[in-house]
Amino acid sequence: MEANLKKPRGVLNEPVQRSKFTLDLYIPSPDLEAYVEQYWIVKWDLTGQEPYMSEVLPHPSVHMTVEPDGAWVTGVVERKFTRKLQNSGVVLGIKFHPGAFYPFTGIPVQRWTGQTVRAEDVFGADAVAYEHAVKSLDSNDAAGMVTQAETFLRGRMPAHDPAVAEIRGIIEAIKNDRSITGAQDIARQFHLSVRMLQRMFGKYVGVSPKWVIQRFRLLEVADKLEEGQPWNWPQFAAELGYYDQSHFIKDFKSIVGVSPEQYVRNNGTGT
């Protein structure tokens, strides 16, 4: 088991959150790398303290988690994801690559967009056995937890689906190429019709190509703000594909919960 040393993206108000819980990331084994982006383990001990609301700006990924109150599958969360942490606990998560959860179920992923459902309702009794196996381990046994996750996935290894690799290539292009601002740009680059692209994303990713583009740009903006980089709202708005900064600020606030300027003040990262 190899740790993923990259800084996690999307954790809002990270300086504060770092004092409330630990987040460790782990790289999947080579045979599962096509499907799993990473495993993550969150641990907290707030015994005798007030509960804490953890906030994350989600990626276009499906997660499967084992938590104190059960095992769950969470589809793409379109707005800020919040979770109440109280007392003490540990969560094991499997973060699938965008588009890579569909082969495990054969059910269009948009069915779970914005929803969290019991893993048992998706995978049957196997999910219950998996939950029990993870919870039987010591909370510090990260290697054992990841092994259980990989054993569960290998027991349901899907047939090869070329669309998974194609979508991964599209996602990488969106992340790295700022000239991509709309579905038409993706369709042109990957020789697809816009309608075909939209159907593919609905089936495999669960959200539209435009949503994915804006989310990755917004994650980039959040990272810059966390790092204390000077802000330039018109520039950020243009990079996100907005025609003016007022719409960008409105959407930022609707997703994150505060305006960009307030977010900077809350984190003490103003320059």
Side-chain angles (χ1 to χ4, degrees):
M1 181 186 72
E2 184 178 353
N4 184 347
L5 300 180
K6 290 183 178 180
K7 176 186 174 183
R9 297 189 71 195
V11 178
L12 300 175
N13 307 309
E14 186 182 10
V16 177
Q17 300 217 51
R18 200 183 301 128
S19 68
K20 299 295 183 178
F21 61 83
T22 62
L23 170 60
D24 296 308
L25 311 177
Y26 301 95
I27 296 171
S29 297
D31 61 319
L32 290 166
E33 190 274 337
Y35 303 101
V36 176
E37 180 175 337
Q38 62 194 17
Y39 307 102
W40 53 270
I41 298 176
V42 168
K43 290 191 289 186
W44 68 94
D45 187 351
L46 300 175
T47 306
Q49 302 179 43
E50 291 294 320
Y52 178 74
M53 296 301 296
S54 171
E55 300 181 336
V56 177
L57 189 60
H59 293 64
S61 300
V62 175
H63 292 254
M64 182 174 177
T65 57
V66 175
E67 309 189 28
D69 60 349
W72 306 90
V73 170
T74 300
V76 177
V77 178
E78 297 177 283
R79 297 193 178 275
K80 179 176 65 176
F81 179 80
T82 60
R83 190 188 191 286
K84 186 177 183 179
L85 305 181
Q86 57 187 346
N87 301 320
S88 61
V90 59
V91 174
L92 165 66
I94 304 172
K95 180 183 180 183
F96 292 85
H97 285 295
F101 184 75
Y102 169 79
F104 286 89
T105 66
I107 300 172
V109 176
Q110 60 190 164
R111 172 174 174 176
W112 295 296
T113 298
Q115 297 186 57
T116 296
V117 299
R118 289 199 172 274
E120 181 181 4
D121 294 337
V122 180
F123 293 110
D126 288 350
V128 178
Y130 166 59
E131 177 190 349
H132 290 165
V134 171
K135 289 183 175 180
S136 70
L137 300 170
D138 185 277
S139 62
N140 293 315
D141 187 1
M145 293 184 193
V146 170
T147 295
Q148 289 297 333
E150 296 208 319
T151 299
F152 174 81
L153 293 174
R154 289 188 180 114
R156 308 185 68 86
M157 189 70 82
H160 175 70
D161 185 340
V164 172
E166 184 175 16
I167 290 172
R168 187 169 177 182
I170 293 172
I171 295 295
E172 288 301 311
I174 291 172
K175 288 167 62 176
N176 298 319
D177 186 353
R178 287 187 181 176
S179 70
I180 295 177
T181 60
Q184 296 87 347
D185 300 320
I186 303 171
R188 188 181 309 112
Q189 182 172 332
F190 287 87
H191 309 291
L192 299 166
S193 70
V194 171
R195 185 172 182 180
M196 184 183 300
L197 178 68
Q198 290 171 335
R199 284 203 304 265
M200 182 187 298
F201 267 58
K203 181 177 180 180
Y204 283 85
V205 184
V207 287
S208 71
K210 183 66 174 178
W211 186 96
V212 175
I213 294 168
Q214 291 187 338
R215 178 50 51 92
F216 277 117
R217 300 296 178 266
L218 192 57
L219 283 163
E220 186 177 354
V221 169
D223 283 347
K224 289 179 178 180
L225 297 181
E226 289 275 3
E227 293 165 3
Q229 294 189 26
W231 58 85
N232 183 327
W233 305 134
Q235 177 183 332
F236 288 165
E239 290 175 356
L240 283 163
Y242 289 92
Y243 291 105
D244 61 74
Q245 71 182 68
S246 64
H247 283 88
F248 157 64
I249 293 172
K250 180 180 178 182
D251 281 1
F252 186 101
K253 186 173 182 179
S254 72
I255 294 169
V256 178
V258 295
S259 70
E261 290 185 352
Q262 184 62 51
Y263 183 76
V264 171
R265 288 196 295 270
N266 291 349
N267 284 277
T269 56
T271 58

